[in-house]
Amino acid sequence: MKMRALITGGAGFIGSHLAEGLLENGYEVCILDDLSTGRLENVRHLQNNPKFELVIGTVLSESLVDKLVEQSSCVFHLAAAVGVELIVKKPLESLTTNIKGSEIVLEMANRYRKKILITSTSEIYGKNTNGPLKETDDRILGSPLKARWSYSTAKAVDEMLAYVYWKEKGVPSLIVRLFNTVGPRQTGAYGMVVPRFVEQALKNKNITVYGTGKQTRCFIHVKDVTSALIKLVGVPNTEGEVFNIGSQEEISIEDLAKEIIKLTKSKSKIMHIPYEKAYEEGFEDMQRRVPDTSKINKLIGFKPTYKLSEIVMDIVRYAKAK
Ligand code: UDP
């Protein structure tokens, strides 16, 4: 069978870069996107490619997903409601899209026995501030009534579904947990910090640092993520496995703001905003999030190639060209 990848959520930030990477690697690519957070402009440059197909529709449509999975040799399931701010604002939608959507896609992968990669998230680890976090580490979560944790829980259900579809039914599924992935085409509209800070810096507006700014994250360039995803589906014996993907270059959010101000030569000042104003009363943030990536490193020689300053400059170039 020819190599034909289905990417659910393919018009999104990560999906559109993955589509480019798969086309470069000789795949035919079909993307399914309902354009809720994905954008046509992310994939417009691919539309003249005869090996590329765009289907506008939802992963919640069983008949559509049935047809598209049957036509594909493998599936990358990226369609999800993501972004902390979006999840806090629309928790019901995020729960249903994330759980029902994954269930439908996995059921079709089962029906046609197709390899399926499920994208999960570092939110899985919740408030576990140990570092670096290993795939087998504990999840530490707050109350399920706090919207943020509903996303972590929905994604955990996705992971469990993928795992048991493999264990009980033999579906060749694997899971990746993506840590703070950034790059061109990411929008700040759903809360993501780097595109926001870049946009604020370029407009010489205040940089909105939430909380103390001492919380840390590790940012990875989307191209390093998508090339790892493409390699991963190509290697055998990964079924039923879960892999962290992320950078280990840790930086506090306040230092990130300073670095972006410096790199853009901006006149912006840092403005601290309490969490309850930024999100909602009682909002809980992760103080630290660093991945242990030794498992994927051992398997495919995974190592991020972009330094933080290079990532920021790539985003700056994109934001200026918009
Ligand atoms: N953040 C911030 N200002 C913003 C947006 C986010 O200080 O305008 C903080 C946020 O509270 C978190 C970090 O930046 O501590 C990363 O946020 P993001 O939503 O990008 O990712 P996640 O929280 O999922 O790591």
Side-chain angles (χ1 to χ4, degrees):
M1 192 182 178
K2 61 178 183 280
M3 294 199 302
R4 181 179 168 88
L6 171 64
I7 310 175
T8 69
F13 153 60
I14 300 177
S16 63
H17 286 280
L18 178 61
E20 279 170 14
L22 286 164
L23 288 165
E24 281 161 19
N25 278 271
Y27 281 81
E28 282 185 13
V29 173
C30 173
I31 69 176
L32 171 65
D33 204 299
D34 66 358
L35 303 182
S36 53
T37 56
R39 288 175 300 169
L40 275 182
E41 67 199 66
N42 287 345
V43 289
R44 194 158 281 141
H45 61 295
L46 302 176
Q47 281 186 293
N48 289 332
N49 188 328
K51 290 184 149 193
F52 176 79
E53 187 187 356
L54 163 67
V55 177
I56 298 174
T58 167
V59 283
L60 300 175
S61 164
E62 288 189 34
S63 55
L64 182 58
V65 176
D66 180 307
K67 186 181 92 183
L68 297 179
V69 171
E70 186 181 17
Q71 292 167 351
S72 307
S73 55
C74 62
V75 182
F76 293 84
H77 179 47
L78 273 66
V82 293
V84 177
E85 214 175 281
L86 179 70
I87 283 141
V88 169
K89 275 194 199 140
K90 295 185 175 175
L92 183 60
E93 203 176 304
S94 108
L95 268 174
T96 49
T97 315
N98 293 339
I99 297 178
K100 272 194 209 149
S102 301
E103 203 179 342
I104 290 171
V105 178
L106 277 160
E107 182 48 39
M108 298 313 159
N110 177 37
R111 185 168 295 170
Y112 299 107
R113 315 307 291 172
K114 300 290 166 71
K115 191 162 202 176
I116 177 163
L117 180 147
I118 297 278
T119 46
S120 182
T121 167
S122 54
E123 287 273 326
I124 283 287
Y125 299 102
K127 292 184 281 186
N128 188 338
T129 50
N130 289 345
L133 293 159
K134 277 180 99 69
E135 286 84 351
T136 46
D137 277 349
D138 286 341
R139 308 179 57 215
I140 302 176
L141 301 182
S143 159
L145 302 185
K146 289 192 175 161
R148 171 169 210 154
W149 306 123
S150 72
Y151 176 60
S152 178
T153 303
K155 281 298 195 179
V157 173
D158 290 356
E159 289 199 12
M160 288 175 202
L161 280 169
Y163 182 71
V164 297
Y165 261 103
W166 168 72
K167 210 166 164 34
E168 276 186 43
K169 296 179 186 275
V171 175
S173 66
L174 63 145
I175 299 154
V176 293
R177 291 184 187 149
L178 306 184
F179 283 66
N180 296 83
T181 303
V182 296
R185 296 186 206 138
Q186 185 176 43
T187 157
Y190 312 113
M192 278 73 165
V193 68
V194 179
R196 281 204 175 186
F197 283 6
V198 166
E199 213 172 303
Q200 290 164 344
L202 291 178
K203 291 181 180 156
N204 295 312
K205 287 187 171 169
N206 287 335
I207 308 275
T208 55
V209 170
Y210 298 162
T212 62
K214 302 282 178 252
Q215 69 273 32
T216 67
R217 294 292 187 274
C218 304
F219 297 95
I220 183 166
H221 195 290
V222 62
K223 288 287 181 206
D224 281 330
V225 169
T226 54
S227 62
L229 298 185
I230 295 166
K231 275 191 199 148
L232 258 186
V233 290
V235 294
N237 305 324
T238 53
E239 294 81 9
E241 296 286 340
V242 47
F243 300 92
N244 286 336
I245 300 182
S247 156
Q248 293 186 308
E249 195 184 339
E250 190 175 4
I251 186 167
S252 74
I253 297 302
E254 180 154 274
D255 286 347
L256 172 73
K258 287 181 187 155
E259 177 80 0
I260 290 177
I261 291 172
K262 194 178 91 196
L263 286 167
T264 55
K265 304 189 176 68
S266 170
K267 296 191 179 69
S268 294
K269 297 272 175 291
I270 290 175
M271 179 171 71
H272 285 270
I273 299 178
Y275 285 121
E276 60 271 21
K277 275 213 175 135
Y279 301 104
E280 61 176 0
E281 203 59 49
F283 179 85
E284 293 177 305
D285 198 10
M286 282 78 169
Q287 286 315 300
R288 183 170 189 223
R289 199 152 65 186
V290 185
D292 180 318
T293 48
S294 49
K295 186 172 174 185
I296 189 168
N297 177 288
K298 208 165 148 208
L299 185 72
I300 60 166
F302 166 81
K303 205 169 176 273
T305 60
Y306 290 78
K307 290 202 295 263
L308 181 64
S309 57
E310 294 168 334
I311 300 175
V312 169
M313 288 318 291
D314 212 11
I315 296 168
V316 168
R317 273 190 294 277
Y318 171 77
K320 281 185 174 168
K322 257 201 306 189

